[in-house]
Structures are given as C-alpha cells and as structure tokens.
C-alpha cells in the first residue's frame, strides 16, 4: 500500500469529508464564488502543515514541514497567519519564517515559479504548495472564446507541472479557482462550466465551496468516487477554519 499523509484543515467536518484532510502527492482544488473561503483555507493549511504529525501536520521532531504560498491576487495577509498560529500555540514568527511567500505577477511568472520549485522543494522540506488563485492570471490574459484553446493548453501544462511536483516530492498541492455562483453566465468557458473545476483529468480532489449563513460555509466533493458523498459545514472565524 502506498503511504499517503494528510494535513488537517482545522475543521473536523471538512477533514472527514476529505477522508482525513489534505493529501500529499496530489492536487486539491477548492472552487467557489468570491468570499466562499478559498483563501482562508489556504492560509490555515499553510499554518497547519507545520504542526507535528500527531496534531494533523507533517512536521517531524527533526524537521519542520514548510509551505510555499504562490499568491496571484495579492490577498495574502500575514496577520491571518499570525492569528491562525496562535490558535495552536505556535510561535507566529517561526510559522511565518516557514512560509515561502511568492507573489506571481502574471501567468508566465506563475509557471516559472513552479518550474523553480523543482529545485527548491527537495532542499527545504517543503510539504505544501499553494497557488491562490491558479486561474486568475490566465483568465485575465486570455479573455474571450477566441483565446480559450490557448489558455487551456497553457493552464493544463501548469497543472501538469504541479501534479508532477506533488508526486515526485510527496508534497500536498492546493489550488483555488473562483467561479460564479451562476456558472451559466459563463457558458463557453470550461473553467467556469458545470462544477466549475479547471479542465484537467489528473488524479486529484475537487472541493466546491458555498456560502451559507454568516460565517458558515458548505463544502462538497465533486467527482471523487473514493470519497464519501455529502457535504460538510465549517466556519471562518477570527482564529481560522473551524467547525
Ligand atoms: P475570492 O478570492 O474573492 O474568490 O474569495 P475566497 O473564496 O478566497 O474568500 P476568502 O477565503 O477570502 O473568504 C473571505 C471571507 O473570510 C470573508 O467573507 C470573511 O467573512 C472571512 N474572513 C476573512 N478574514 C477574517 C477574519 O479575520 N475573521 C473572520 N471572522 N472572518 C474572516
Ligand atoms: Mg481568495
């Protein structure tokens, strides 16, 4: 049996839905409308990966598990990392020093960063790579139906690289994708189509997020026969992702 390891999201409900948490060696995609919690989950998992294994992270007594955060939208906030670290009694400065933050300014830069990670990841005990969002630059740079084929080809190459990175170095990869609440408005754009997921048929987990009342959010797994059906309710709180 292949050994896979999992990182807690901070919500027991969401972890259960994911079959224990975020898996290494694979891509987990969170998609949903604005404010649905994609970026908050990314922040929380970048902290949680640093926890010891018995607490839901991937750190071992001799080595801290580090995270790479590729931010394409400028929505990363160190203050959130601080709050989410204190929650577990972790030293925020230490946690922050173990997150390699990279701002990607366009899709070529975003892809070049991932290429470079093949050199960095094995040297640094990086166990998590986040791309928030994976689709933003591609959508902005390749607008309209006439650019769709070129965009998808490039995006698929990017996703393939991320998938290889996950498998080769036993790291978890999280990507996010903003989709409209009413995807029919974007008929013709596969990244906005039914289910909203980016068109990439690699092994991976796709999680749809929806807003509920107040700070409640609802997660649902999309096309993963090996995971349980149903939905998980979680909350976005001042101290992070919780039940
Ligand atoms: P887009 O990137 O716009 O597509 O949205 P997203 O899915 O990334 O949403 P995000 O994760 O940024 O969630 C935003 C929500 O998180 C806001 O609506 C807030 O309710 C909540 N949130 C953000 N920061 C805090 C905080 O410090 N405390 C609390 N309680 N909630 C917060
Ligand atoms: Mg976001």
């Amino acid at each position: 049996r292949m050994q896979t390891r999992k990182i807690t999201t901070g919500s027991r409900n969401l972890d259960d839905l994911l079959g224990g948490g975020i898996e290494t060696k694979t891509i987990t995609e969170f998609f949903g409308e604005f404010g649905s919690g994609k970026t908050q989950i990314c922040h929380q998992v970048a902290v949680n990966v640093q926890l010891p294994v018995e607490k839901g992270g991937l750190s071992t007594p001799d080595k801290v598990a580090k995270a790479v955060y590729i931010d394409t939208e400028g929505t990363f906030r160190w203050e959130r990392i601080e709050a989410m670290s204190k929650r577990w009694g972790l030293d925020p400065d230490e946690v922050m020093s173990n997150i390699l933050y990279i701002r990607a300014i366009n899709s070529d830069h975003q892809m070049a960063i991932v290429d470079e990670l093949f050199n960095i990841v094995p040297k640094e005990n990086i166990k998590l790579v986040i791309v928030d969002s994976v689709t933003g630059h591609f959508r902005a740079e390749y607008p309209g139906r006439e650019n769709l084929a070129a965009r998808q080809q490039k995006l698929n190459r990017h996703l393939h690289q991320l998938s290889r990175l996950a498998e080769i170095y036993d790291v978890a990869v999280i990507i996010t994708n903003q989709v409209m609440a009413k995807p029919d408005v974007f008929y013709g754009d596969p990244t906005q189509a039914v289910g909203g997921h980016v068109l990439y048929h690699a092994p991976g987990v796709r999680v749809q997020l929806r807003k509920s009342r107040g700070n409640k959010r609802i997660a649902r797994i999309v096309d993963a026969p090996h995971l349980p059906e149903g939905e998980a309710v979680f909350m976005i709180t001042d101290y992070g992702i919780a039940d």
Side-chain angles (χ1 to χ4, degrees), residues 15-204:
D15 286 352
D16 288 347
L17 187 77
L18 290 164
I22 306 284
E23 245 180 283
T24 61
K25 291 192 164 77
T26 195
I27 297 180
T28 302
E29 175 188 346
F30 289 96
F31 69 93
E33 64 174 312
F34 73 94
S36 57
K38 303 180 293 292
T39 296
Q40 292 303 307
I41 290 174
C42 291
H43 280 69
Q44 184 71 75
V45 182
V47 172
N48 293 359
V49 71
Q50 301 185 39
L51 289 165
V53 170
E54 64 274 15
K55 289 189 172 156
L58 297 178
S59 288
T60 53
D62 55 313
K63 265 200 249 170
V64 178
K66 300 182 187 180
V68 169
Y69 201 116
I70 304 172
D71 180 13
T72 73
E73 301 184 324
T75 54
F76 181 84
R77 296 287 175 272
W78 288 109
E79 304 80 61
R80 294 298 288 145
I81 297 297
E82 197 176 355
M84 291 170 178
S85 305
K86 285 181 180 162
R87 163 189 191 182
W88 305 125
L90 296 171
D91 175 355
D93 290 329
E94 232 164 82
V95 171
M96 290 192 266
S97 74
N98 293 321
I99 297 173
L100 176 56
Y101 172 82
I102 311 169
R103 176 82 162 94
I105 58 167
N106 57 41
S107 66
D108 283 330
H109 187 213
Q110 186 177 327
M111 292 175 79
I113 291 163
V114 173
D115 289 342
E116 185 56 27
L117 288 181
F118 282 82
N119 299 320
I120 300 168
V121 164
K123 289 184 201 141
E124 291 285 334
N125 198 41
I126 287 160
K127 286 284 139 197
L128 170 68
V129 172
I130 292 164
V131 189
D132 181 28
S133 89
V134 80
T135 42
H137 285 316
F138 290 87
R139 282 207 188 105
E141 292 164 31
Y142 297 85
R145 295 200 68 157
E146 65 274 25
N147 293 312
L148 203 53
R151 183 228 277 172
Q152 279 308 111
Q153 193 180 25
K154 203 171 162 188
L155 183 56
N156 279 345
R157 192 150 35 102
H158 182 46
L159 293 166
H160 183 70
Q161 278 291 78
L162 286 166
S163 180
R164 280 187 57 223
L165 188 73
E167 280 175 30
I168 294 172
Y169 297 116
D170 187 29
V171 305
V173 171
I174 296 179
I175 61 175
T176 70
N177 179 26
Q178 192 199 62
V179 298
M180 294 292 162
K182 292 190 176 69
D184 51 297
V185 174
F186 279 78
Y187 178 75
D189 180 342
T191 64
Q192 289 276 10
V194 195
H197 58 75
V198 289
L199 281 194
Y200 182 65
H201 303 288

Side-chain angles (χ1 to χ4, degrees), residues 207-218:
V207 187
Q208 180 179 35
L209 301 179
R210 302 198 314 274
K211 291 186 215 172
S212 182
R213 262 169 216 279
N215 62 349
K216 280 198 179 134
R217 299 291 185 273
I218 300 164

